[in-house]
């Protein structure tokens, strides 16, 4: 691909911006909370219908049952260049049904706002428009496999094996999660989600306190030990985010539990953290402690193949007049699952904007054509092998 083609892709995306924004509005106005199977099904059906409107019927189409979670849809569009690229897109959001009633889609200057617009429905829209723009320009494309999953925000329990299978088959995986201030995410931390439950002995706090064994006191004693498992020098953090227990002020608590979030960059860290959690024991031996949960996603650390893919992306960005940066972030995504297989992954190729998982969530309208052109240019470069 000649660098001269890149400004043309950006200009086409600027020309098509009103349609791109209309498409984003369409997707955002279909609420798809991770916990609502009915809404997820309706949202996925609309995404498929819209994608076919823009790109035509795929050569292959498979929809896999997600059980109580969102289904997984794969759509394959053969290319006229070489190789296959996997575009990972989750359509679930963290926002519950009814959020649109109090927070409707809005445009204010450069900001397009609405629940799930930035994370990550804009990425879905940009992915489809990148493919469309290459077709319209007559530029070569690799085979494109879209994978839409509806459970990313809760750890991808149903889609995990399908993501790994598709990632193994692809030459490169591009994750259309939001960018970080325009930068590509080449590293992400792995994540462990644990529940720690203490079971003690209830008694009257005034009449017979010594007969009881407080689960709340015991678990509170263990929280500093959990926090001490953090190792910032290795990139490991530990957060006790929820703590609950007891039944009444005057009852020695019989039950208490906490939810623990662990993030790691070093793939050797899970063994150390697991051992530390398994060794948790309160000073009152009458209280029993149980640890459940486990490691949800491995860390995503770039290797030589990812470095080469980023080099291509940076060349494309330079042709668009910008210096593309890369960053490693603490959040995990479905890209972690593919990277753990040793496959090249570039993440954060979706929307520019800010505020994921907050009421400040928004997409930068002015940056959207650049993001579409960047992805399109990278896809056509990847078709060259």
């Amino acid at each position: 691909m000649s660098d001269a083609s890149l400004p043309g892709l950006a200009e086409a995306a600027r020309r098509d911006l009103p349609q791109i924004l209309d498409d984003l509005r369409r997707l955002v106005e279909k609420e798809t909370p991770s916990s609502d199977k009915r809404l997820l099904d309706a949202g996925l059906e609309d995404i498929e219908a819209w994608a076919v409107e823009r790109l035509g019927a795929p050569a292959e189409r498979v929809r896999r049952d997600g059980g109580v979670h969102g289904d997984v849809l794969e759509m394959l569009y053969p290319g006229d260049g070489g190789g296959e690229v996997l575009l990972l897109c989750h359509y679930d959001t963290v926002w519950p049904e009814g959020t649109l009633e109090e927070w409707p889609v809005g445009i204010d200057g450069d900001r397009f706002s609405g629940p799930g617009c930035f994370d990550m429905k804009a990425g879905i829209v940009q992915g489809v428009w990148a493919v469309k723009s290459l077709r319209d320009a007559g530029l070569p494309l690799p085979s494109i496999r879209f994978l839409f999953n509806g459970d990313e925000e809760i750890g991808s329990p149903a889609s995990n094996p399908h993501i790994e299978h598709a990632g193994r088959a692809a030459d490169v995986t591009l994750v259309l999660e939001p960018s970080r201030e325009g930068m590509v995410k080449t590293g992400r931390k792995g994540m462990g989600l644990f529940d720690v439950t203490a079971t003690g002995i209830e008694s009257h706090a005034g009449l017979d306190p010594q007969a009881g064994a407080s689960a709340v006191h015991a678990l509170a004693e263990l929280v500093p030990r959990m926090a001490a498992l953090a190792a910032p020098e290795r990139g490991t953090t530990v957060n006790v985010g929820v703590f609950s227990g007891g039944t009444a002020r005057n009852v020695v608590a019989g039950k208490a539990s906490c939810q623990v979030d662990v993030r790691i960059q070093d793939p050797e860290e899970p063994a150390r953290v697991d051992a530390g959690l398994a060794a948790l024991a309160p000073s009152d031996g009458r209280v029993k402690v149980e640890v459940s949960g486990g490691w949800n996603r491995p860390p995503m650390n770039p290797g030589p193949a990812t470095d080469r893919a980023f080099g291509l992306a940076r060349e494309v960005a330079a042709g668009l007049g910008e210096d593309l940066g890369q960053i490693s972030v603490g959040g995990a995504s479905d890209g972690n699952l593919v990277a753990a297989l040793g496959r090249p992954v570039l993440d954060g190729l979706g929307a520019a904007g800010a505020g994921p998982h907050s009421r400040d969530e928004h997409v930068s309208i002015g940056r959207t054509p650049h993001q579409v052109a960047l992805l399109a240019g990278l896809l056509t470069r990847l078709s060259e092998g």
Side-chain angles (χ1 to χ4, degrees):
M1 179 193 69
S2 167
D3 286 348
S5 302
L6 291 170
L9 291 173
E11 178 56 35
R14 285 191 287 271
R15 180 194 65 225
D16 294 329
L17 184 58
Q19 289 181 280
I20 294 172
L21 295 179
D22 284 345
D23 287 352
L24 179 54
R25 178 184 291 273
R26 171 175 173 170
L27 266 60
V28 173
E29 288 184 342
K30 285 282 189 179
E31 292 184 303
T32 50
S34 304
S35 59
D36 194 316
K37 176 69 168 177
R38 175 183 60 85
L39 291 176
L40 288 167
D41 284 347
L44 183 57
E45 288 165 10
D46 189 61
I47 287 171
E48 180 175 7
W50 161 76
V52 170
E53 289 172 17
R54 292 298 182 211
L55 301 178
E60 296 177 14
R61 178 264 188 198
V62 181
R63 180 164 170 166
R64 296 183 170 86
D65 184 9
V68 298
H69 305 297
D71 289 354
V72 179
L73 175 65
E74 293 184 40
M75 302 174 74
L76 177 66
Y77 289 91
D80 47 12
E84 178 176 313
V85 174
L86 172 64
L87 298 183
L88 276 184
C89 314
H90 73 83
Y91 60 94
D92 63 318
T93 77
V94 299
W95 301 101
E97 182 180 10
T99 301
L100 275 169
E101 294 178 11
E102 56 192 58
W103 179 22
V105 171
I107 293 178
D108 182 11
D110 185 53
R111 295 164 59 102
F112 181 109
S113 66
C117 65
F118 184 58
D119 188 10
M120 60 159 285
K121 290 185 175 177
I124 297 174
V125 173
Q126 290 171 190
V128 168
W129 272 92
V131 174
K132 183 178 185 304
S133 68
L134 290 173
R135 286 179 167 183
D136 292 346
L139 293 170
L141 266 167
S143 292
I144 303 293
R145 183 179 300 275
F146 287 95
L147 188 150
F148 304 102
N149 63 309
D151 59 352
E152 191 274 345
E153 296 291 4
I154 55 173
S156 305
S159 60
N160 183 325
H162 307 304
I163 292 168
E164 291 181 341
H165 183 267
R168 285 190 183 95
D171 295 297
V172 179
T173 294
L174 306 180
V175 188
L176 303 187
E177 290 274 7
S179 72
R180 178 70 173 267
E181 299 175 353
M183 291 181 283
V184 172
K185 300 169 183 175
T186 53
R188 286 183 177 272
K189 287 191 176 184
M191 180 169 62
L193 304 175
F194 300 92
D195 295 305
V196 182
T197 302
T199 303
I201 301 170
E202 289 185 337
S203 69
H204 194 293
L207 296 176
D208 198 11
Q210 301 308 317
S214 173
V216 166
H217 293 182
L219 194 58
E221 175 190 350
L222 297 179
V223 167
R225 299 186 201 171
M226 293 183 237
L229 292 172
E233 72 281 2
R234 301 177 193 171
T236 301
T237 61
V238 178
N239 181 64
V240 179
V242 177
F243 190 113
S244 60
T247 55
R249 188 191 305 269
N250 61 349
V251 176
V252 175
K255 281 277 189 182
S257 63
C258 66
Q259 298 176 7
V260 186
D261 178 294
V262 184
R263 306 290 170 123
I264 59 167
Q265 199 74 64
D266 184 344
E268 303 299 322
E269 279 289 84
R272 184 186 68 84
V273 174
D274 285 343
L277 292 174
L280 291 174
S283 57
D284 189 336
R286 296 175 296 168
V287 179
K288 307 303 179 187
V289 174
E290 178 185 2
V291 179
S292 58
W295 295 97
N296 177 261
R297 290 188 175 97
M300 184 175 96
N301 294 314
T306 292
D307 292 340
R308 288 193 294 272
F310 175 71
L312 287 179
R314 195 170 187 193
E315 290 175 11
V316 172
L320 292 168
E322 293 201 0
D323 183 14
L324 182 65
Q326 61 179 319
I327 192 170
S328 180
V329 298
S333 83
D334 289 329
N336 293 56
L337 302 174
V338 179
L341 304 173
R343 309 296 296 159
V345 176
L346 292 182
D347 204 334
L349 282 162
H357 298 194
S358 79
R359 289 299 177 108
D360 186 50
E361 179 175 10
H362 66 274
V363 172
S364 169
I365 295 172
R367 287 285 300 182
T368 296
H370 174 85
Q371 296 298 107
V372 173
L374 174 64
L375 179 59
L378 178 57
L379 289 174
T380 197
R381 284 297 304 272
L382 289 170
S383 74
E384 300 168 1

